[in-house]
Amino acid sequence: MLFRSRVGKKQTLLQINPEHGWAAGLELTRDHIELIAIDAAGAVRAQTRFTWDGNLALLGQLLSERWRMLVAMWNLPIDRLLGAGVGVSGIVDTPRGKLLQSTMFDMRDFDLAGMLGDAMQTPVLVDHNANLAALAELRLGAAREHSQIGRAHV
């Protein structure tokens, strides 16, 4: 009996075009907002942190003003903005983008994705900040070489 070895097509290394688009990430805390822009390949294009009073009801207005200024300053093409993700402390209904309850912000049933989407003119995904921090650690941080991680958010 003869065994044949079949060799398939050579592998092709694919790369993501970083110019295809970019996304924004936000972390909201009681006293500051962390804002980051990454290109489609996952490289950080810009990052900033600014203070605020923690008033979610006024966040849309504050972010709308700062957002336009930052996008222009960072020289990012607004027509290539793919979306934004925001991490927040509290009980989050991720599919609906709602902050169901947050003791940090003293808020209940708040449409955070809608408000931020209007301010930034892009779709927004909202999730618990610890979930997004663990995902970032797994993808970009010290945990990227591991299949399981544990993280404590204090």
Side-chain angles (χ1 to χ4, degrees):
M1 181 175 239
L2 272 172
F3 290 98
R4 288 184 162 168
S5 173
R6 293 187 182 180
V7 178
K9 187 176 177 183
K10 277 188 162 184
Q11 293 179 348
T12 303
L13 178 63
L14 300 177
Q15 293 180 331
I16 296 175
N17 178 0
E19 300 302 318
H20 174 73
W22 61 281
L26 294 92
E27 181 180 20
L28 305 178
T29 70
R30 183 175 294 133
D31 61 356
H32 74 271
I33 298 171
E34 186 92 24
L35 182 59
I36 187 169
I38 61 169
D39 65 27
V44 175
R45 298 283 300 269
Q47 190 169 3
T48 191
R49 178 180 179 154
F50 53 92
T51 59
W52 73 311
D53 63 5
N55 186 343
L56 279 180
L58 300 178
L59 177 61
Q61 180 182 350
L62 171 70
L63 191 58
S64 183
E65 294 165 2
R66 295 241 178 153
W67 180 245
R68 287 189 296 276
M69 180 189 70
L70 289 170
V71 168
M73 184 177 75
W74 292 340
N75 198 29
L76 293 169
I78 197 68
D79 61 324
R80 292 207 179 136
L81 176 58
L82 302 172
V86 60
V88 65
S89 176
I91 301 170
V92 178
D93 179 349
T94 299
R96 292 183 15 214
K98 290 199 175 222
L99 182 58
L100 297 179
Q101 182 176 355
S102 175
T103 55
M104 178 181 287
F105 297 110
D106 192 28
M107 259 319 167
R108 295 175 81 78
D109 199 34
F110 185 73
D111 184 9
L112 188 56
M115 188 261 306
L116 290 175
D118 288 345
M120 299 172 75
Q121 295 297 296
T122 194
V124 174
L125 172 87
V126 178
D127 202 347
H128 192 276
N129 57 354
N131 292 341
L132 295 178
L135 180 61
E137 193 66 35
L138 188 61
R139 295 271 178 123
L140 305 170
R144 68 178 171 260
E145 302 294 324
H146 304 280
S147 61
Q148 296 180 359
I149 65 167
R151 185 174 193 284
H153 189 79
V154 182

PDB file of all heavy atoms in Angstrom, residues 64-90:
ATOM      1  N   SER A  64     -19.091  65.732  23.887  1.00  0.00           N
ATOM      2  CA  SER A  64     -19.328  66.256  22.543  1.00  0.00           C
ATOM      3  C   SER A  64     -18.341  67.375  22.223  1.00  0.00           C
ATOM      4  O   SER A  64     -17.751  67.412  21.146  1.00  0.00           O
ATOM      5  CB  SER A  64     -20.759  66.747  22.421  1.00  0.00           C
ATOM      6  OG  SER A  64     -21.012  67.184  21.124  1.00  0.00           O
ATOM      7  N   GLU A  65     -18.140  68.276  23.174  1.00  0.00           N
ATOM      8  CA  GLU A  65     -17.214  69.389  22.984  1.00  0.00           C
ATOM      9  C   GLU A  65     -15.774  68.904  22.886  1.00  0.00           C
ATOM     10  O   GLU A  65     -15.036  69.289  21.976  1.00  0.00           O
ATOM     11  CB  GLU A  65     -17.348  70.389  24.137  1.00  0.00           C
ATOM     12  CG  GLU A  65     -18.689  71.084  24.179  1.00  0.00           C
ATOM     13  CD  GLU A  65     -18.949  71.788  25.502  1.00  0.00           C
ATOM     14  OE1 GLU A  65     -18.070  71.772  26.395  1.00  0.00           O
ATOM     15  OE2 GLU A  65     -20.055  72.350  25.646  1.00  0.00           O
ATOM     16  N   ARG A  66     -15.378  68.059  23.812  1.00  0.00           N
ATOM     17  CA  ARG A  66     -13.995  67.568  23.835  1.00  0.00           C
ATOM     18  C   ARG A  66     -13.714  66.616  22.684  1.00  0.00           C
ATOM     19  O   ARG A  66     -12.600  66.576  22.178  1.00  0.00           O
ATOM     20  CB  ARG A  66     -13.708  66.851  25.152  1.00  0.00           C
ATOM     21  CG  ARG A  66     -13.764  67.730  26.339  1.00  0.00           C
ATOM     22  CD  ARG A  66     -12.450  67.747  27.026  1.00  0.00           C
ATOM     23  NE  ARG A  66     -12.524  68.654  28.147  1.00  0.00           N
ATOM     24  CZ  ARG A  66     -11.783  68.532  29.220  1.00  0.00           C
ATOM     25  NH1 ARG A  66     -10.939  67.547  29.316  1.00  0.00           N
ATOM     26  NH2 ARG A  66     -11.880  69.401  30.181  1.00  0.00           N
ATOM     27  N   TRP A  67     -14.700  65.818  22.301  1.00  0.00           N
ATOM     28  CA  TRP A  67     -14.522  64.798  21.274  1.00  0.00           C
ATOM     29  C   TRP A  67     -14.085  65.414  19.948  1.00  0.00           C
ATOM     30  O   TRP A  67     -13.114  64.981  19.340  1.00  0.00           O
ATOM     31  CB  TRP A  67     -15.815  64.002  21.121  1.00  0.00           C
ATOM     32  CG  TRP A  67     -15.763  62.931  20.101  1.00  0.00           C
ATOM     33  CD1 TRP A  67     -16.489  62.864  18.950  1.00  0.00           C
ATOM     34  CD2 TRP A  67     -14.936  61.768  20.099  1.00  0.00           C
ATOM     35  NE1 TRP A  67     -16.167  61.730  18.248  1.00  0.00           N
ATOM     36  CE2 TRP A  67     -15.210  61.046  18.938  1.00  0.00           C
ATOM     37  CE3 TRP A  67     -13.972  61.277  20.975  1.00  0.00           C
ATOM     38  CZ2 TRP A  67     -14.574  59.857  18.620  1.00  0.00           C
ATOM     39  CZ3 TRP A  67     -13.333  60.089  20.661  1.00  0.00           C
ATOM     40  CH2 TRP A  67     -13.638  59.402  19.496  1.00  0.00           C
ATOM     41  N   ARG A  68     -14.797  66.425  19.488  1.00  0.00           N
ATOM     42  CA  ARG A  68     -14.445  67.069  18.217  1.00  0.00           C
ATOM     43  C   ARG A  68     -13.030  67.649  18.265  1.00  0.00           C
ATOM     44  O   ARG A  68     -12.255  67.537  17.318  1.00  0.00           O
ATOM     45  CB  ARG A  68     -15.461  68.150  17.874  1.00  0.00           C
ATOM     46  CG  ARG A  68     -16.793  67.606  17.415  1.00  0.00           C
ATOM     47  CD  ARG A  68     -17.706  68.698  16.877  1.00  0.00           C
ATOM     48  NE  ARG A  68     -18.087  69.688  17.878  1.00  0.00           N
ATOM     49  CZ  ARG A  68     -19.101  69.539  18.727  1.00  0.00           C
ATOM     50  NH1 ARG A  68     -19.837  68.450  18.678  1.00  0.00           N
ATOM     51  NH2 ARG A  68     -19.389  70.480  19.597  1.00  0.00           N
ATOM     52  N   MET A  69     -12.686  68.274  19.377  1.00  0.00           N
ATOM     53  CA  MET A  69     -11.370  68.868  19.538  1.00  0.00           C
ATOM     54  C   MET A  69     -10.277  67.789  19.512  1.00  0.00           C
ATOM     55  O   MET A  69      -9.259  67.938  18.825  1.00  0.00           O
ATOM     56  CB  MET A  69     -11.313  69.635  20.856  1.00  0.00           C
ATOM     57  CG  MET A  69      -9.975  70.290  21.125  1.00  0.00           C
ATOM     58  SD  MET A  69      -9.880  70.969  22.788  1.00  0.00           S
ATOM     59  CE  MET A  69      -9.819  69.473  23.778  1.00  0.00           C
ATOM     60  N   LEU A  70     -10.495  66.678  20.225  1.00  0.00           N
ATOM     61  CA  LEU A  70      -9.489  65.617  20.285  1.00  0.00           C
ATOM     62  C   LEU A  70      -9.300  64.930  18.936  1.00  0.00           C
ATOM     63  O   LEU A  70      -8.168  64.662  18.526  1.00  0.00           O
ATOM     64  CB  LEU A  70      -9.872  64.586  21.351  1.00  0.00           C
ATOM     65  CG  LEU A  70      -9.745  65.045  22.792  1.00  0.00           C
ATOM     66  CD1 LEU A  70     -10.387  64.039  23.731  1.00  0.00           C
ATOM     67  CD2 LEU A  70      -8.288  65.270  23.163  1.00  0.00           C
ATOM     68  N   VAL A  71     -10.385  64.647  18.236  1.00  0.00           N
ATOM     69  CA  VAL A  71     -10.285  63.989  16.932  1.00  0.00           C
ATOM     70  C   VAL A  71      -9.486  64.873  15.968  1.00  0.00           C
ATOM     71  O   VAL A  71      -8.623  64.390  15.228  1.00  0.00           O
ATOM     72  CB  VAL A  71     -11.680  63.654  16.367  1.00  0.00           C
ATOM     73  CG1 VAL A  71     -11.603  63.239  14.914  1.00  0.00           C
ATOM     74  CG2 VAL A  71     -12.324  62.545  17.197  1.00  0.00           C
ATOM     75  N   ALA A  72      -9.735  66.177  15.989  1.00  0.00           N
ATOM     76  CA  ALA A  72      -8.989  67.101  15.128  1.00  0.00           C
ATOM     77  C   ALA A  72      -7.523  67.169  15.554  1.00  0.00           C
ATOM     78  O   ALA A  72      -6.617  67.114  14.708  1.00  0.00           O
ATOM     79  CB  ALA A  72      -9.618  68.487  15.177  1.00  0.00           C
ATOM     80  N   MET A  73      -7.272  67.253  16.848  1.00  0.00           N
ATOM     81  CA  MET A  73      -5.906  67.338  17.361  1.00  0.00           C
ATOM     82  C   MET A  73      -5.120  66.067  17.041  1.00  0.00           C
ATOM     83  O   MET A  73      -3.939  66.125  16.694  1.00  0.00           O
ATOM     84  CB  MET A  73      -5.938  67.571  18.874  1.00  0.00           C
ATOM     85  CG  MET A  73      -4.576  67.765  19.497  1.00  0.00           C
ATOM     86  SD  MET A  73      -4.688  68.123  21.261  1.00  0.00           S
ATOM     87  CE  MET A  73      -5.087  66.515  21.912  1.00  0.00           C
ATOM     88  N   TRP A  74      -5.783  64.914  17.130  1.00  0.00           N
ATOM     89  CA  TRP A  74      -5.128  63.630  16.856  1.00  0.00           C
ATOM     90  C   TRP A  74      -5.031  63.337  15.353  1.00  0.00           C
ATOM     91  O   TRP A  74      -4.431  62.363  14.955  1.00  0.00           O
ATOM     92  CB  TRP A  74      -5.865  62.505  17.551  1.00  0.00           C
ATOM     93  CG  TRP A  74      -5.794  62.520  19.034  1.00  0.00           C
ATOM     94  CD1 TRP A  74      -4.868  63.164  19.816  1.00  0.00           C
ATOM     95  CD2 TRP A  74      -6.674  61.859  19.943  1.00  0.00           C
ATOM     96  NE1 TRP A  74      -5.123  62.940  21.142  1.00  0.00           N
ATOM     97  CE2 TRP A  74      -6.236  62.152  21.252  1.00  0.00           C
ATOM     98  CE3 TRP A  74      -7.801  61.064  19.767  1.00  0.00           C
ATOM     99  CZ2 TRP A  74      -6.864  61.648  22.374  1.00  0.00           C
ATOM    100  CZ3 TRP A  74      -8.434  60.565  20.898  1.00  0.00           C
ATOM    101  CH2 TRP A  74      -7.972  60.859  22.180  1.00  0.00           C
ATOM    102  N   ASN A  75      -5.650  64.165  14.550  1.00  0.00           N
ATOM    103  CA  ASN A  75      -5.633  64.002  13.094  1.00  0.00           C
ATOM    104  C   ASN A  75      -6.183  62.632  12.670  1.00  0.00           C
ATOM    105  O   ASN A  75      -5.598  61.953  11.818  1.00  0.00           O
ATOM    106  CB  ASN A  75      -4.220  64.236  12.545  1.00  0.00           C
ATOM    107  CG  ASN A  75      -4.223  64.513  11.069  1.00  0.00           C
ATOM    108  OD1 ASN A  75      -5.197  65.043  10.530  1.00  0.00           O
ATOM    109  ND2 ASN A  75      -3.160  64.141  10.399  1.00  0.00           N
ATOM    110  N   LEU A  76      -7.297  62.256  13.248  1.00  0.00           N
ATOM    111  CA  LEU A  76      -7.941  60.983  12.912  1.00  0.00           C
ATOM    112  C   LEU A  76      -9.122  61.244  11.978  1.00  0.00           C
ATOM    113  O   LEU A  76      -9.907  62.162  12.211  1.00  0.00           O
ATOM    114  CB  LEU A  76      -8.435  60.283  14.189  1.00  0.00           C
ATOM    115  CG  LEU A  76      -7.339  59.813  15.132  1.00  0.00           C
ATOM    116  CD1 LEU A  76      -7.937  59.381  16.465  1.00  0.00           C
ATOM    117  CD2 LEU A  76      -6.532  58.685  14.517  1.00  0.00           C
ATOM    118  N   PRO A  77      -9.255  60.452  10.916  1.00  0.00           N
ATOM    119  CA  PRO A  77     -10.375  60.659   9.982  1.00  0.00           C
ATOM    120  C   PRO A  77     -11.708  60.226  10.604  1.00  0.00           C
ATOM    121  O   PRO A  77     -11.932  59.044  10.839  1.00  0.00           O
ATOM    122  CB  PRO A  77     -10.005  59.795   8.779  1.00  0.00           C
ATOM    123  CG  PRO A  77      -9.063  58.764   9.317  1.00  0.00           C
ATOM    124  CD  PRO A  77      -8.382  59.365  10.499  1.00  0.00           C
ATOM    125  N   ILE A  78     -12.568  61.164  10.879  1.00  0.00           N
ATOM    126  CA  ILE A  78     -13.834  60.871  11.550  1.00  0.00           C
ATOM    127  C   ILE A  78     -14.704  59.928  10.726  1.00  0.00           C
ATOM    128  O   ILE A  78     -15.474  59.148  11.275  1.00  0.00           O
ATOM    129  CB  ILE A  78     -14.585  62.173  11.923  1.00  0.00           C
ATOM    130  CG1 ILE A  78     -15.663  61.903  12.977  1.00  0.00           C
ATOM    131  CG2 ILE A  78     -15.154  62.847  10.703  1.00  0.00           C
ATOM    132  CD1 ILE A  78     -15.167  61.519  14.322  1.00  0.00           C
ATOM    133  N   ASP A  79     -14.546  59.946   9.398  1.00  0.00           N
ATOM    134  CA  ASP A  79     -15.343  59.065   8.552  1.00  0.00           C
ATOM    135  C   ASP A  79     -14.882  57.604   8.629  1.00  0.00           C
ATOM    136  O   ASP A  79     -15.544  56.724   8.107  1.00  0.00           O
ATOM    137  CB  ASP A  79     -15.325  59.550   7.100  1.00  0.00           C
ATOM    138  CG  ASP A  79     -13.930  59.578   6.501  1.00  0.00           C
ATOM    139  OD1 ASP A  79     -12.964  59.903   7.226  1.00  0.00           O
ATOM    140  OD2 ASP A  79     -13.805  59.280   5.299  1.00  0.00           O
ATOM    141  N   ARG A  80     -13.765  57.365   9.298  1.00  0.00           N
ATOM    142  CA  ARG A  80     -13.283  55.989   9.471  1.00  0.00           C
ATOM    143  C   ARG A  80     -13.446  55.492  10.901  1.00  0.00           C
ATOM    144  O   ARG A  80     -12.912  54.439  11.260  1.00  0.00           O
ATOM    145  CB  ARG A  80     -11.825  55.890   9.051  1.00  0.00           C
ATOM    146  CG  ARG A  80     -11.663  56.088   7.568  1.00  0.00           C
ATOM    147  CD  ARG A  80     -10.455  55.379   7.059  1.00  0.00           C
ATOM    148  NE  ARG A  80     -10.355  55.580   5.625  1.00  0.00           N
ATOM    149  CZ  ARG A  80      -9.242  55.880   5.007  1.00  0.00           C
ATOM    150  NH1 ARG A  80      -8.121  56.001   5.683  1.00  0.00           N
ATOM    151  NH2 ARG A  80      -9.233  56.028   3.707  1.00  0.00           N
ATOM    152  N   LEU A  81     -14.179  56.222  11.713  1.00  0.00           N
ATOM    153  CA  LEU A  81     -14.468  55.791  13.082  1.00  0.00           C
ATOM    154  C   LEU A  81     -15.431  54.615  13.022  1.00  0.00           C
ATOM    155  O   LEU A  81     -16.534  54.721  12.499  1.00  0.00           O
ATOM    156  CB  LEU A  81     -15.080  56.945  13.886  1.00  0.00           C
ATOM    157  CG  LEU A  81     -15.519  56.620  15.306  1.00  0.00           C
ATOM    158  CD1 LEU A  81     -14.371  56.089  16.158  1.00  0.00           C
ATOM    159  CD2 LEU A  81     -16.132  57.859  15.945  1.00  0.00           C
ATOM    160  N   LEU A  82     -15.005  53.463  13.550  1.00  0.00           N
ATOM    161  CA  LEU A  82     -15.797  52.237  13.478  1.00  0.00           C
ATOM    162  C   LEU A  82     -16.768  52.093  14.643  1.00  0.00           C
ATOM    163  O   LEU A  82     -17.775  51.410  14.525  1.00  0.00           O
ATOM    164  CB  LEU A  82     -14.856  51.023  13.431  1.00  0.00           C
ATOM    165  CG  LEU A  82     -13.871  51.017  12.266  1.00  0.00           C
ATOM    166  CD1 LEU A  82     -12.870  49.887  12.435  1.00  0.00           C
ATOM    167  CD2 LEU A  82     -14.608  50.915  10.949  1.00  0.00           C
ATOM    168  N   GLY A  83     -16.475  52.723  15.764  1.00  0.00           N
ATOM    169  CA  GLY A  83     -17.330  52.624  16.930  1.00  0.00           C
ATOM    170  C   GLY A  83     -16.538  52.926  18.185  1.00  0.00           C
ATOM    171  O   GLY A  83     -15.351  53.233  18.132  1.00  0.00           O
ATOM    172  N   ALA A  84     -17.227  52.820  19.311  1.00  0.00           N
ATOM    173  CA  ALA A  84     -16.587  53.097  20.596  1.00  0.00           C
ATOM    174  C   ALA A  84     -17.053  52.075  21.626  1.00  0.00           C
ATOM    175  O   ALA A  84     -18.159  51.544  21.536  1.00  0.00           O
ATOM    176  CB  ALA A  84     -16.930  54.513  21.067  1.00  0.00           C
ATOM    177  N   GLY A  85     -16.195  51.835  22.591  1.00  0.00           N
ATOM    178  CA  GLY A  85     -16.541  50.978  23.716  1.00  0.00           C
ATOM    179  C   GLY A  85     -16.297  51.744  25.000  1.00  0.00           C
ATOM    180  O   GLY A  85     -15.335  52.510  25.086  1.00  0.00           O
ATOM    181  N   VAL A  86     -17.159  51.550  25.972  1.00  0.00           N
ATOM    182  CA  VAL A  86     -17.007  52.256  27.241  1.00  0.00           C
ATOM    183  C   VAL A  86     -17.125  51.280  28.395  1.00  0.00           C
ATOM    184  O   VAL A  86     -18.001  50.422  28.408  1.00  0.00           O
ATOM    185  CB  VAL A  86     -18.022  53.423  27.376  1.00  0.00           C
ATOM    186  CG1 VAL A  86     -19.444  52.934  27.301  1.00  0.00           C
ATOM    187  CG2 VAL A  86     -17.805  54.204  28.653  1.00  0.00           C
ATOM    188  N   GLY A  87     -16.207  51.411  29.331  1.00  0.00           N
ATOM    189  CA  GLY A  87     -16.238  50.617  30.552  1.00  0.00           C
ATOM    190  C   GLY A  87     -16.700  51.490  31.697  1.00  0.00           C
ATOM    191  O   GLY A  87     -16.253  52.619  31.864  1.00  0.00           O
ATOM    192  N   VAL A  88     -17.616  50.942  32.481  1.00  0.00           N
ATOM    193  CA  VAL A  88     -18.197  51.710  33.582  1.00  0.00           C
ATOM    194  C   VAL A  88     -18.479  50.783  34.754  1.00  0.00           C
ATOM    195  O   VAL A  88     -18.775  49.600  34.577  1.00  0.00           O
ATOM    196  CB  VAL A  88     -19.478  52.444  33.105  1.00  0.00           C
ATOM    197  CG1 VAL A  88     -20.561  51.473  32.716  1.00  0.00           C
ATOM    198  CG2 VAL A  88     -19.974  53.441  34.121  1.00  0.00           C
ATOM    199  N   SER A  89     -18.385  51.314  35.949  1.00  0.00           N
ATOM    200  CA  SER A  89     -18.670  50.549  37.156  1.00  0.00           C
ATOM    201  C   SER A  89     -20.176  50.509  37.402  1.00  0.00           C
ATOM    202  O   SER A  89     -20.849  51.530  37.303  1.00  0.00           O
ATOM    203  CB  SER A  89     -17.977  51.217  38.347  1.00  0.00           C
ATOM    204  OG  SER A  89     -18.303  50.545  39.532  1.00  0.00           O
ATOM    205  N   GLY A  90     -20.692  49.325  37.682  1.00  0.00           N
ATOM    206  CA  GLY A  90     -22.110  49.184  37.976  1.00  0.00           C
ATOM    207  C   GLY A  90     -22.693  47.959  37.303  1.00  0.00           C
ATOM    208  O   GLY A  90     -21.979  47.140  36.729  1.00  0.00           O
TER     209      GLY A  90
END
